[in-house]
Amino acid sequence: MTNEAFRDLFQRYFEGLASEEERRALMQHIAAAPEAELELAMREQWLSFEKPDADVTAERGAVLLRSILDNDTMENKELREIRTARTAIYLRRWWVAASVMLILGAGIFFWVSNSKTNEEIVQRPVDVAPGREGAVLTLADGKQVMLDEVKDSVVALQGGATARVVNGQLVYEGRGNEAVFNSMSTPKGRQYNLKLPDGTQVWLNSESSIRYPTVFNGKERKVEVTGEAYFSVTKNNKMPFIVKVNAQTDIQVLGTEFNVNAYTNEAAINTTLLEGSVRVHADKLSQILSPGQQAQIGQDKKIRLVKEVDIDKVIAWKNGYFNFNDADLHEIMRQLERWYDIEVVYAKPVQPVEFRGKLERSLSLSQVLEGLQLMQVNFRIEGRKVIIEP
């Protein structure tokens, strides 16, 4: 299909004039079209409505068009709305919202499964800065070191091992002559990166902790974790690496990369494997994971194996953004509570709505809430408390 034919067919589709055969041809072309071609079609269609505040990028155009493809396949409510004369208004308001966020430096895209455009403008909330790098290091003698503002320097000498901050990472150097224990904790609104004595790297998400020895002796390398952490484990066949999670689950590895989400206000302890192999233990049960799989351990201590996991969503926090694909409002707000150090209260039960979208963790709270507001999430602010309205 030529570019001109594609654009003409795309226009007919939006006007509700495309036949069933033309619709199928359009959906097949969208599914296989290059990003640049989708960008051009989206830009021309958009300019026929109203000039936006920011250019339509290839990524945004492709996302919207592919969402049209998904909706067309499902024959759902959004598709029926697209096929009506209200499409121009719906799309224009949606794109203005995205453009505002783009101007704010965000790069945000939201798509809610049953949303309508919210025409009400509420008062801009009091701003809260996003979380940042920082943690509390507790030494063997109980002394605490705030790592938030520490630049490259030695922060502790213990039994021959040196704890040094290097480029924003706490690194243990040297071979200690005795194993003393340190712990690192990240309060709400903080995250930090740690390099253990064996070279294993650990990324701690907000409201998390890890306890570890300053030197690994004996037959195993064992650490204890709460909250959420990402591990890149240095391989050592003679000394397996063991992560004890919330004092109830053990993860045994040789050399691998995996993520552990064990927040107490989540439904399960989720261990997701990216590379290598791990064995997850819970009570008297165990499960070996392959890359791309996740072990979920609920309150019943049973292990549920998920064979295909959205890895991008699992490690989005480590890569600097939120991934809200297939997330409900409660899941989203729990993440915001931890990262912005806020309290979320629900005035009344909210409807189950699934979101789709990504946004950078560098956004201020007001920018995030404005994005949610455009998706009909109503709220009011009282200090650091966000109250969700029906």
Side-chain angles (χ1 to χ4, degrees):
M1 183 184 299
T2 65
N3 290 344
E4 183 177 359
F6 173 45
R7 292 194 295 273
D8 290 343
L9 186 54
F10 185 50
Q11 180 69 33
R12 286 176 56 78
Y13 176 86
F14 264 92
E15 292 174 353
L17 302 176
S19 66
E20 183 65 20
E21 183 178 352
E22 289 174 326
R23 182 194 63 79
R24 284 197 300 267
L26 177 63
M27 294 304 135
Q28 291 173 359
H29 190 75
I30 289 176
E35 305 296 333
E37 186 176 347
L38 296 180
E39 173 193 14
L40 180 60
M42 188 68 250
R43 180 179 285 114
E44 291 189 356
Q45 182 65 39
W46 174 238
L47 290 176
S48 70
F49 295 150
E50 179 180 325
K51 187 174 181 180
D53 295 329
D55 287 339
V56 178
T57 65
E59 180 182 3
R60 291 176 181 277
V63 166
L64 182 56
L65 287 180
R66 296 197 192 285
S67 70
I68 292 172
L69 172 63
D70 293 339
N71 292 334
D72 185 85
T73 302
M74 294 184 290
E75 294 290 341
N76 62 11
K77 185 171 181 292
E78 285 82 356
L79 175 61
R80 292 194 296 273
E81 291 182 345
I82 287 174
R83 287 175 172 168
T84 67
R86 291 174 292 171
T87 297
I89 297 174
Y90 179 83
L91 182 58
R92 179 166 64 250
R93 288 173 179 168
W94 179 90
W95 197 263
V96 168
S99 300
V100 169
M101 293 303 174
L102 183 61
I103 291 172
L104 291 172
I108 299 176
F109 170 75
F110 274 115
W111 184 272
V112 184
S113 60
N114 63 348
S115 68
K116 294 180 181 178
T117 303
N118 185 4
E119 298 181 1
E120 298 181 1
I121 302 299
V122 302
Q123 184 177 1
R124 182 184 180 92
V126 176
D127 215 356
V128 175
R132 54 191 174 88
E133 298 295 314
V136 179
L137 173 65
T138 302
L139 304 177
D141 60 2
K143 178 183 176 182
Q144 292 189 328
V145 181
M146 301 295 295
L147 300 175
D148 293 40
E149 305 298 334
V150 176
K151 303 301 181 182
D152 294 0
S153 63
V154 174
V155 297
L157 294 170
Q158 301 169 98
T162 302
R164 182 192 306 271
V165 174
V166 181
N167 296 325
Q169 178 188 51
L170 183 65
V171 178
Y172 282 81
E173 302 172 340
R175 294 290 301 176
N177 49 33
E178 61 176 317
V180 297
F181 283 85
N182 287 180
S183 64
M184 176 185 289
S185 60
T186 50
K188 288 183 177 180
R190 298 291 186 272
Q191 65 179 30
Y192 211 77
N193 182 210
L194 164 69
K195 188 174 182 179
L196 295 172
D198 66 335
T200 291
Q201 296 208 63
V202 184
W203 287 260
L204 276 188
N205 202 351
S206 53
E207 206 173 9
S208 304
S209 69
I210 180 170
R211 183 175 183 269
Y212 52 90
T214 57
V215 59
F216 289 113
N217 293 323
K219 297 180 179 180
E220 62 184 20
R221 297 167 288 168
K222 192 170 187 177
V223 301
E224 300 173 19
V225 168
T226 66
E228 185 167 24
Y230 182 94
F231 287 84
S232 179
V233 179
T234 299
K235 190 171 184 178
N236 184 342
N237 293 331
K238 297 181 179 179
M239 190 181 292
F241 194 94
I242 298 175
V243 180
K244 192 169 188 63
V245 184
N246 289 5
Q248 58 181 314
T249 301
D250 286 351
I251 303 168
Q252 182 176 346
V253 305
L254 292 176
T256 188
E257 295 195 15
F258 62 98
N259 190 86
V260 180
N261 184 316
Y263 289 113
T264 55
N265 61 350
E266 299 292 348
I269 296 174
N270 296 330
T271 302
T272 308
L273 181 64
L274 281 78
E275 296 180 8
S277 177
V278 301
R279 181 187 295 272
V280 178
H281 298 267
D283 203 5
K284 297 180 180 180
L285 304 174
S286 68
Q287 176 68 56
I288 296 177
L289 299 185
S290 297
Q293 295 183 342
Q294 182 181 85
Q296 299 178 349
I297 303 173
Q299 293 183 350
D300 58 4
K301 301 293 182 67
K302 293 182 179 179
I303 302 175
R304 176 173 174 261
L305 178 64
V306 181
K307 294 186 177 181
E308 294 185 6
V309 179
D310 185 350
I311 296 296
D312 182 72
K313 180 179 179 180
V314 171
I315 64 171
W317 69 270
K318 174 181 171 289
N319 294 332
Y321 63 95
F322 297 102
N323 183 326
F324 294 145
N325 288 341
D326 301 320
D328 61 25
L329 184 61
H330 289 277
E331 180 182 345
I332 290 174
M333 299 313 294
R334 287 196 298 271
Q335 292 188 49
L336 299 187
E337 277 186 311
R338 291 190 284 262
W339 187 234
Y340 292 96
D341 191 11
I342 58 173
E343 179 186 1
V344 177
V345 176
Y346 296 87
K348 290 183 179 180
V350 296
Q351 290 184 326
V353 177
E354 286 189 351
F355 289 73
R356 294 192 64 82
K358 301 177 182 179
L359 58 87
E360 295 179 4
R361 282 160 66 100
S362 60
L363 292 173
S364 68
L365 178 63
S366 65
Q367 291 172 315
V368 174
L369 293 179
E370 284 173 357
L372 291 175
Q373 173 197 324
L374 291 165
M375 297 299 105
Q376 281 200 313
V377 176
N378 302 314
F379 58 87
R380 70 178 188 271
I381 305 295
E382 295 181 1
R384 298 187 77 92
K385 180 184 293 186
V386 178
I387 302 172
I388 305 298
E389 304 280 1

